[in-house]
Amino acid sequence: MRSLKLIFVLLIAALSTASGIILNNRIINGDCALQGQFPYVVSITENDRHFCGGFIYNSRWVVTAASCVEGKLGINASLNVVVGQLNAVILDEFEQKMAVDTIILYPQYDSAIKLNDIALIRVTAEIQFDYVNVDFILYEEVNYRNYSLVMGWGAFFEGGVESVNLRYGAVTSILMDASTKCGSFPITEFNYTTTICAGATITSPYPAASPCQYDEGSPLVQDFVDPDTLKAIPVAVGIFSKNKMCTYTSIDGVGIYTRLSAYDSWLLYTAGLYTLNNRIIQGGLATQGQFPYVASVTENGRHFCGGFIYSSRYVVTAASCVEGKPINVLNVVVGQLSTITPDVNEQTMVVYTVTVHPEYDNTTKMNDIALIRLTAEIQFDYVNVDFILYQEANIKNSLVMGWGATFEGGYESVNLRFGAVLPQALNVSQKCGSFPDIEFNLTTTICAGPTITSPYPGGSPCQYDEGSPLVQDFEDPNTLQGIPVAVGIFSKNKMCTYGADGVGIYTRLSTFDSWLRNTAGQQPVHPASAKEYLRILTPAVNKLRS
Ligand SMILES: *[C@@H]1O[C@H](CO)[C@@H](O)[C@H](O)[C@H]1NC(C)=O
Ligand SMILES: *[C@@H]1O[C@H](CO)[C@@H](O)[C@H](O)[C@H]1NC(C)=O
Ligand SMILES: *[C@@H]1O[C@H](CO)[C@@H](O)[C@H](O)[C@H]1NC(C)=O
Ligand SMILES: *[C@@H]1O[C@H](CO)[C@@H](O)[C@H](O)[C@H]1NC(C)=O
Ligand SMILES: *[C@@H]1O[C@H](CO)[C@@H](O)[C@H](O)[C@H]1NC(C)=O
Ligand SMILES: *[C@@H]1O[C@H](CO)[C@@H](O)[C@H](O)[C@H]1NC(C)=O
């Protein structure tokens, strides 16, 4: 089979060399990949012949399109996943051929219109990473500001056979809303929430391309650029699902990609955490009304820190977020879920004053708390936009949420995300993660690290999560009902990771009780259930404040 395939492909290679890049509507452009350029891409083979792409999610799981593996569940012995491969006919140095253990289609996959076109493949052994030629890749929300690459061993013209060499090319995500069409697809086949529409681009340094037959399942990848180091980190944003034809010059080449961020919790609960190394924050996407008190602090319209609503006029954030910043570049956005689409309940507030705690130390980040006073009243509906009371921290699972990066050095996130952490370092003789003693004070800060003992995915806050609240459920001992209360503000961690460096330091709100009340006044009473709140919280709060 392999030699037969070689002949086919040599023929095509000769043809394409002779004619160069033919610009007509059947050719996929692009270029050959180099060793280590796409260490996360896999080839899915049936009887040793490539038929679909995929990407490495962690050492046991590979993500592909449901349309690739639908109907192959019963004959999986003939299926393999090949990682570390460049050339499909010769054995590459880093190639590992993995046997398939389980195939799981997304339960709502619709094979007629190819929506929810995503599947997970579990391999029977651990993929061996060298992190250069074989690596996993994180996934993220798509960034409409930049181009993406798509790569695979697909055909390079409509109706061709699979390619010997791994090829890639650039496409750009076409920003659309639910009412716009994607290329020549009928409206029923494109869902803005669950898919990405992308076509060939010429605004990238890479050759424009269109994926083709046997590229289904291949990842759509973007570079996330760390604004400080300017280092780019590739992240997967989609999976190639379908296009009408392999062309990059006509509307029929516009492709539909499964939007990975829409399958965040399914991926997490089916395939577990990402491979644990020191680059990751886990967590999940927030739903409407889940965290009505969280605020995004923006600088020139761009999210850079979190905060929480203290009252209709005040928002609490970290001092490190706002110290030295001119007020006129700052705004506070409340009632927001997505930073790119205007949410129904979103209100953008103008900043009147910023008060940094007088004892804030910008070297050790001690007393890292600030109050932002707004020029107008936040309008509460108490469901999507609400304030939150604060309390002394308990030793129990807590949530932290924000629009921070989802990995060390990443950009801010489009969607509000959250994750669970657990307070640790509970007595003065214990250290907090890898922080020196001078940077952790048990009286004024809380030390908390990722947890797996919560019903929520464990998480680690990351860049641009500073100022976000640490929230616990205060349980009514009578009704056992939980009321969320803020107990801290994320101040710092060493890295966004699950390891010791991911342990974070949070400003302990209860310590700053009198400063908060003297500066911003009392918190309001919750009218929707004022009696409930008072009955449950007053004794605890009074005890705390006496
Ligand atoms: C894969 O094949 C094995 C036998 O080769 C079978 O026991 C197993 O159920 C198959 N898995 C799936 C998900 O179909
Ligand atoms: C798009 O997909 C989402 C999630 O599956 C679904 O809730 C929504 O109804 C879909 N929209 C359309 C127009 O089908
Ligand atoms: C797009 O990606 C390129 C390459 O990584 C990078 O240099 C550029 O800054 C990015 N542009 C934006 C707007 O993110
Ligand atoms: C840090 O604090 C010092 C001393 O209080 C101050 O002079 C300096 O401006 C502060 N740095 C920033 C970035 O605000
Ligand atoms: C503090 O915690 C350490 C480690 O758990 C423990 O060995 C020590 O006895 C504790 N000290 C006090 C004063 O509770
Ligand atoms: C911790 O902070 C409190 C309050 O600011 C202070 O009184 C105490 O001396 C600090 N502890 C250490 C070890 O620095």
Side-chain angles (χ1 to χ4, degrees):
M1 188 48 92
R2 280 221 160 189
S3 58
L4 188 71
K5 190 170 140 190
L6 184 64
I7 293 165
F8 266 127
V9 171
L10 283 179
L11 228 157
I12 290 153
L15 255 172
S16 89
T17 311
S19 46
I21 296 163
I22 306 162
L23 298 181
N24 72 9
N25 67 2
R26 295 183 314 172
I27 310 279
I28 156 164
N29 198 8
D31 206 350
C32 284
L34 305 172
Q35 183 62 53
Q37 194 176 2
F38 307 110
Y40 41 78
V41 70
V42 308
S43 162
I44 302 174
T45 63
E46 185 168 10
N47 298 319
D48 285 334
R49 189 159 174 181
H50 170 87
F51 71 95
C52 264
F55 71 85
I56 304 175
Y57 174 92
N58 63 23
S59 59
R60 274 297 180 113
W61 290 91
V62 162
V63 178
T64 186
S67 52
C68 285
V69 285
E70 184 197 14
K72 297 192 191 290
L73 305 184
I75 51 157
N76 60 32
S78 60
L79 294 189
N80 283 104
V81 170
V82 185
V83 307
Q85 173 181 270
L86 260 189
N87 182 306
V89 294
I90 56 170
L91 188 67
D92 292 290
E93 189 182 349
F94 304 100
E95 194 171 314
Q96 297 166 49
K97 183 169 144 182
M98 316 298 299
V100 172
D101 171 55
T102 315
I103 298 174
I104 300 177
L105 301 187
Y106 187 73
Q108 280 86 42
Y109 167 59
D110 182 330
S111 59
I113 50 173
K114 286 208 185 146
L115 283 187
N116 302 314
D117 191 7
I118 183 167
L120 274 160
I121 300 179
R122 186 171 196 262
V123 293
T124 56
E126 300 270 316
I127 298 168
Q128 300 303 312
F129 295 129
D130 68 0
Y131 303 105
V132 176
N133 303 290
V134 183
D135 200 359
F136 63 94
I137 185 169
L138 304 177
Y139 62 90
E140 217 341 344
E141 181 54 276
V142 64
N143 175 359
Y144 287 104
R145 290 174 293 214
N146 222 334
Y147 62 86
S148 316
L149 296 182
V150 60
M151 70 284 318
W153 292 265
F156 48 90
F157 57 87
E158 181 65 31
V161 294
E162 65 275 25
S163 162
V164 167
N165 295 306
L166 177 58
R167 298 180 65 86
Y168 73 99
V171 296
T172 192
S173 315
I174 303 168
L175 180 56
M176 298 206 173
D177 54 55
S179 61
T180 321
K181 287 179 69 131
C182 174
S184 54
F185 283 100
I187 209 131
T188 49
E189 295 194 29
F190 170 62
N191 180 322
Y192 183 69
T193 315
T194 60
T195 57
I196 298 163
C197 176
T201 179
I202 48 161
T203 62
S204 110
Y206 300 105
S210 158
C212 208
Q213 284 90 7
Y214 317 114
D215 282 327
E216 294 83 1
S218 279
L220 182 70
V221 174
Q222 294 190 321
D223 269 351
F224 275 60
V225 180
D226 177 352
D228 298 324
T229 63
L230 296 181
K231 220 178 101 173
I233 301 170
V235 292
V237 299
I239 306 166
F240 177 53
S241 171
K242 58 186 171 184
N243 61 7
K244 293 277 179 190
M245 277 189 100
C246 326
T247 160
Y248 67 104
T249 53
S250 109
I251 196 168
D252 281 342
V254 169
I256 291 185
Y257 297 78
T258 306
R259 185 187 290 257
L260 286 166
S261 62
Y263 301 89
D264 195 43
S265 47
W266 179 72
L267 287 168
L268 176 68
Y269 289 113
T270 313
L273 300 181
Y274 299 126
T275 299
L276 297 182
N277 77 4
N278 63 6
R279 294 186 306 175
I280 292 104
I281 156 168
Q282 188 49 259
L285 292 172
T287 52
Q288 183 62 51
Q290 194 176 2
F291 307 110
Y293 43 78
V294 71
S296 162
V297 182
T298 65
E299 182 173 0
N300 296 316
R302 191 162 170 179
H303 169 87
F304 75 96
C305 267
F308 72 85
I309 304 174
Y310 176 93
S311 66
S312 59
R313 283 284 182 152
Y314 281 95
V315 165
V316 177
T317 187
S320 53
C321 286
V322 287
E323 188 196 26
K325 293 230 158 108
I327 284 165
N328 62 344
V329 301
L330 301 179
N331 282 103
V332 172
V333 185
V334 302
Q336 172 180 267
L337 264 187
S338 160
T339 58
I340 55 164
T341 49
D343 293 288
V344 187
N345 306 291
E346 195 172 311
Q347 297 167 51
T348 300
M349 313 302 296
V350 174
V351 173
Y352 181 63
T353 49
V354 169
T355 310
V356 168
H357 192 276
E359 276 138 67
Y360 169 58
D361 179 332
N362 64 23
T363 313
T364 59
K365 291 217 179 132
M366 285 286 121
N367 307 311
D368 191 7
I369 185 167
L371 273 161
I372 299 177
R373 184 170 184 215
L374 308 170
T375 59
E377 307 258 318
I378 297 169
Q379 300 304 311
F380 296 133
D381 66 1
Y382 304 104
V383 176
N384 303 292
V385 184
D386 201 357
F387 62 92
I388 185 169
L389 300 174
Y390 61 90
Q391 247 280 49
E392 181 52 280
N394 277 310
I395 311 309
K396 63 187 290 191
N397 280 316
S398 317
L399 295 181
V400 58
M401 70 290 311
W403 292 265
T406 55
F407 56 86
E408 182 65 30
Y411 277 143
E412 65 273 25
S413 163
V414 167
N415 295 306
L416 179 57
R417 299 179 68 90
F418 71 99
V421 296
L422 184 65
Q424 47 178 262
L426 308 174
N427 73 42
V428 283
S429 55
Q430 287 172 304
K431 283 177 75 91
C432 178
S434 55
F435 283 101
D437 288 343
I438 185 175
E439 295 194 31
F440 171 59
N441 180 323
L442 194 59
T443 313
T444 60
T445 58
I446 299 163
C447 174
T451 176
I452 50 163
T453 62
S454 137
Y456 299 106
S460 158
C462 208
Q463 283 91 6
Y464 316 115
D465 281 327
E466 295 83 0
S468 280
L470 181 70
V471 173
Q472 297 185 331
D473 268 351
F474 183 91
E475 244 171 59
D476 177 353
N478 300 317
T479 64
L480 294 180
Q481 240 182 6
I483 296 173
V485 290
V487 298
I489 306 165
F490 177 54
S491 171
K492 59 183 173 186
N493 61 6
K494 295 272 181 191
M495 278 189 99
C496 326
T497 158
Y498 280 112
D501 280 346
V503 170
I505 291 186
Y506 297 77
T507 306
R508 186 182 288 267
L509 286 166
S510 60
T511 311
F512 299 89
D513 184 48
S514 53
W515 179 76
L516 285 167
R517 284 189 291 150
N518 290 339
T519 316
Q522 292 287 356
Q523 286 196 275
V525 171
H526 201 289
S529 57
K531 259 171 109 179
E532 273 301 280
Y533 260 78
L534 283 175
R535 187 172 68 78
I536 298 164
L537 281 180
T538 307
V541 171
N542 283 348
K543 189 172 159 223
L544 165 75
R545 289 175 185 170
S546 61

